[in-house]
Amino acid sequence: MISNQILQNTIEGLKGITRIDLCIIDTEGKVLASTFPEAEAYTGSVLAFIDSPADSQVIQGFQFFKVFDENQLEYILLINGGSEDAYMIGKIAVFQIQNLLVAYKERFDKDNFIKNLLLDNLLLVDIYNRAKKLHIQTEVRRAVYTIETSREKDSASLESVRALFGSKSKDFITAVDEKNIIVVKELGEGEGYPELYKTAKVIKDLLASEGEEQAHIAYGTIVGEIKEVSRSYKEARMALDVGKIFFEDRDIVAYSTLGIGRLIYQLPIPLCKMFIREIFDGKSPDDFDEETLTTINKFFENSLNVSETSRQLYIHRNTLVYRLDKLQKSTGLDLRVFEDAITFKIALMVVKYMKYMETIDY
């Protein structure tokens, strides 16, 4: 159904051109849009006109027109004046509104199709049959973005993103829940992951300019067929979650950059607990004091380089060696040994993952 705001914009535009007042009333006599304040006074006449066999009629100095959507009466249009010019303007307005109905219905049908496609609610044969009917190309390169905003039912952000891509683009913008906007982006020849990141940055900047500073954007891999779009969507959803756990400093996360975090995210919690218990004898690797954790993280950032780590921490090399020796005694892991360092790094990530899962369980 066309929104009242769109109807209002339409008749205001027509009035701006013709300088004639218009009004749109539904089949129950409710005024949906009007360019003059006395529209409510005509609702009784509208209800009587609905029951008449005529498609147009002059009543109380206004031209009344019936607006149909595939033989179903949808609206009553009122045009101020009973002249032939008013009649012609009314017919043009009816034509415009009927075209809007067709366009919105097509968009609604495509929106439903894309939602069901993303959620794997369609059989393979249905995907291709419906795509053909809706004139959606099936063999083009696409990728899916998921955009999480801080506000639930954020229709303003959804419309802003739609406006950014434009109504004539071959991209699809929809929502499958109350906080996430989904963009199915079609890629042109020669476009790849750098362009996907640039688009994500544009979306992020747009939302930030409208006060949505907390938006997070993730995107999946590029797929070549429409049946694979749901896979890119699932990847984007995973990237959004994994980004919150392991890449807190990033507002934009690509599935292809998740690394080992993607594997840890798919581990069952009981297996994670067993791993931590066996490696650390029931203790948690993030229970160390802040100084020790800072030392560990900086050591990892510098690829286990003792000299560079001590320089960045502004401590003597021997002090760093002492801290690493102390850590080895308490855990049995020597971070200067690559295998032990990998075990410790994975353990820290596993603990982060478990703590995140505990928060969303509640």
Side-chain angles (χ1 to χ4, degrees), residues 170-343:
K170 296 179 181 178
D171 307 314
F172 301 101
I173 297 88
T174 187
V176 295
D177 56 38
E178 294 184 340
K179 288 186 71 175
N180 290 276
I181 301 166
I182 309 300
V183 177
V184 181
K185 181 84 176 71
E186 182 174 320
L187 297 171
E189 188 176 345
E191 290 186 319
Y193 291 103
E195 286 72 25
L196 284 178
Y197 179 81
K198 288 176 185 175
T199 300
K201 189 74 170 60
V202 170
I203 297 170
K204 174 66 182 173
D205 291 343
L206 168 70
L207 295 176
S209 70
E210 296 180 348
E212 182 51 77
E213 298 285 350
Q214 303 301 316
H216 290 86
I217 303 172
Y219 53 94
T221 55
I222 298 170
V223 297
E225 285 198 38
I226 197 164
K227 67 179 181 180
E228 297 174 324
V229 165
S230 64
R231 191 190 81 211
S232 186
Y233 168 64
K234 290 171 187 171
E235 291 170 348
R237 289 295 301 268
M238 180 186 288
L240 195 66
D241 282 342
V242 174
K244 291 177 188 174
I245 303 169
F246 303 120
F247 308 106
E248 296 167 318
D249 57 331
R250 295 191 207 170
D251 294 322
I252 300 171
V253 181
Y255 177 81
S256 58
T257 65
L258 297 180
I260 198 170
R262 188 173 78 199
L263 297 176
I264 293 172
Y265 181 76
Q266 297 178 81
L267 293 175
I269 294 298
L271 186 63
C272 293
K273 290 180 178 178
M274 185 173 69
F275 171 72
I276 296 300
R277 187 168 58 250
E278 289 177 353
I279 299 297
F280 294 99
D281 195 25
K283 298 175 184 176
S284 177
D286 66 342
D287 284 343
F288 298 107
D289 58 75
E290 188 174 340
E291 181 184 77
T292 302
L293 285 173
T294 301
T295 301
I296 293 167
N297 289 327
K298 188 61 70 175
F299 194 51
F300 286 143
E301 285 176 22
N302 289 295
S303 303
L304 314 185
N305 186 309
V306 174
S307 299
E308 184 60 25
T309 302
S310 59
R311 187 186 70 80
Q312 290 189 19
L313 289 174
Y314 303 103
I315 60 175
H316 194 276
R317 176 189 173 95
N318 290 343
T319 303
L320 177 58
V321 170
Y322 169 76
R323 290 181 186 177
L324 294 174
D325 286 341
K326 184 180 176 183
L327 185 64
Q328 182 183 0
K329 288 178 182 177
S330 63
T331 65
L333 297 172
D334 185 353
L335 299 194
R336 290 158 293 191
V337 177
F338 181 74
E339 187 175 339
D340 286 358
I342 286 290
T343 301

Side-chain angles (χ1 to χ4, degrees), residues 124-186:
L124 188 60
V125 65
D126 291 335
I127 290 174
Y128 287 92
N129 285 340
R130 291 187 63 182
K132 185 178 180 181
K133 287 179 181 177
L134 294 168
H135 307 290
I136 297 172
Q137 286 186 280
T138 57
E139 294 186 0
V140 295
R141 296 164 67 246
R142 294 183 173 96
V144 179
Y145 295 89
T146 181
I147 306 156
E148 184 180 84
T149 62
S150 60
R151 300 185 289 260
E152 292 191 2
K153 298 181 180 179
D154 191 4
S155 57
S157 293
L158 177 61
E159 290 306 319
S160 295
V161 174
R162 278 189 175 139
L164 175 66
F165 285 88
S167 58
K168 292 183 179 179
S169 76
K170 296 179 181 178
D171 307 314
F172 301 101
I173 297 88
T174 187
V176 295
D177 56 38
E178 294 184 340
K179 288 186 71 175
N180 290 276
I181 301 166
I182 309 300
V183 177
V184 181
K185 181 84 176 71
E186 182 174 320

